[in-house]
Amino acid sequence: MNKKLLALVMAGVLTVAGVAAVVSYARGADARAFGDAELVPVLVVSQPVPAGSSASRLVGSVETEQVPRGVRVEGAVTDLASLGGEVTNAALVPGEQLLAKRFGTAVKKVDASALPAGMQSMDLILTAPRVPAGTKPGDTVGVFASYPATDGGSGTTRMTLSRVRIVAVKKNAAGDAGAEATAAGIRVTLAVTTRQAEKVANAAEFGKIWLTSQNAKADVKGSQKTDAKVVLG
């Protein structure tokens, strides 16, 4: 082997040895920094994560790091699978440890205008006084039916339904003359069962209807047929 080739081989060996020495020193520096502290794993955010993100989709946004036990924050997550189907309740930023308190169960938004399963929709067109002010989709109402007297006496009123859900409310414009003409007023869409629909249809066809706004604590007991004699005592 000539002197030139030998020099090149020696240079290569020294280069490799130098790189190994640097790596060894870096690892030693980490060890010296942590001292004799016990190292434990923790997931750390590596990419920005918006609020509402599913834990199952954070695989590429977090990394596992080894930190001294005293540095790991209480509630730190070490396995995404432990979070199940939970979602972030706040935005996460790179560098922060992944904490269980940052996650919660997703709350499905309820569509107040959606028709409940098994129910039927039914429209009524009523004048403003017969619909409580501020009635909106998702509200529940009581349905009162009034009928004219059939025996020369006074008419009769009674609450025929309670806890009926409103799925739509809008102002109704008067339609054109003809068989499909509609009166101006408020169009209210109710979610009803078959039996409830029969009662509402009968009251709308042969009597008059009033709606009352009901909350969860509304007293709906004590309904009875009421005529002038009952009102006046």
Side-chain angles (χ1 to χ4, degrees):
M1 181 179 296
N2 60 44
K3 293 182 179 180
K4 189 172 183 180
L5 179 59
L6 180 61
L8 290 174
V9 171
M10 290 300 296
V13 171
L14 290 174
T15 300
V16 172
V19 172
V22 171
V23 172
S24 177
Y25 179 83
R27 290 177 177 174
D30 288 342
R32 289 191 296 273
F34 291 142
D36 296 327
E38 178 187 1
L39 299 183
V40 293
V42 64
L43 288 176
V44 177
V45 179
S46 58
Q47 299 289 337
V49 177
S53 299
S54 172
S56 63
R57 297 186 178 182
L58 299 187
V59 177
S61 300
V62 296
E63 296 178 351
T64 299
E65 293 187 8
Q66 299 291 328
V67 300
R69 182 175 293 277
V71 174
R72 186 169 69 181
V73 179
E74 183 178 357
V77 178
T78 59
D79 185 2
L80 286 175
S82 66
L83 297 171
E86 295 187 345
V87 299
T88 55
N89 52 33
L92 307 181
V93 298
E96 69 171 298
Q97 294 184 27
L98 200 64
L99 305 180
K101 67 180 181 180
R102 292 284 203 170
F103 293 81
T105 302
V107 178
K108 187 176 182 180
K109 187 176 181 181
V110 177
D111 182 1
S113 63
L115 186 66
M119 305 294 280
Q120 304 172 51
S121 64
M122 186 173 202
D123 282 359
L124 291 175
I125 299 176
L126 305 173
T127 54
R130 299 177 185 276
V131 180
T135 299
K136 62 185 183 302
D139 288 350
T140 55
V141 296
V143 179
F144 288 73
S146 293
Y147 286 86
T150 57
D151 56 1
S154 60
T156 303
T157 299
R158 185 170 187 175
M159 183 175 74
T160 184
L161 299 173
S162 64
R163 313 293 189 199
V164 177
R165 180 174 169 178
I166 299 290
V167 294
V169 179
K170 64 180 180 180
K171 185 176 180 181
N172 187 71
D176 297 331
E180 300 300 322
T182 57
I186 300 175
R187 182 182 293 270
V188 182
T189 305
L190 310 177
V192 291
T193 63
T194 297
R195 183 56 180 151
Q196 289 175 330
E198 291 171 346
K199 290 185 175 183
V200 173
N202 186 274
E205 187 76 19
F206 303 107
K208 294 182 179 179
I209 291 177
W210 287 78
L211 303 181
T212 61
S213 179
Q214 297 178 335
N215 57 34
K217 296 183 179 180
D219 181 5
V220 296
K221 299 178 181 178
S223 175
Q224 63 177 354
K225 290 183 180 180
T226 302
D227 57 14
K229 292 181 179 179
V230 175
V231 174
L232 302 176

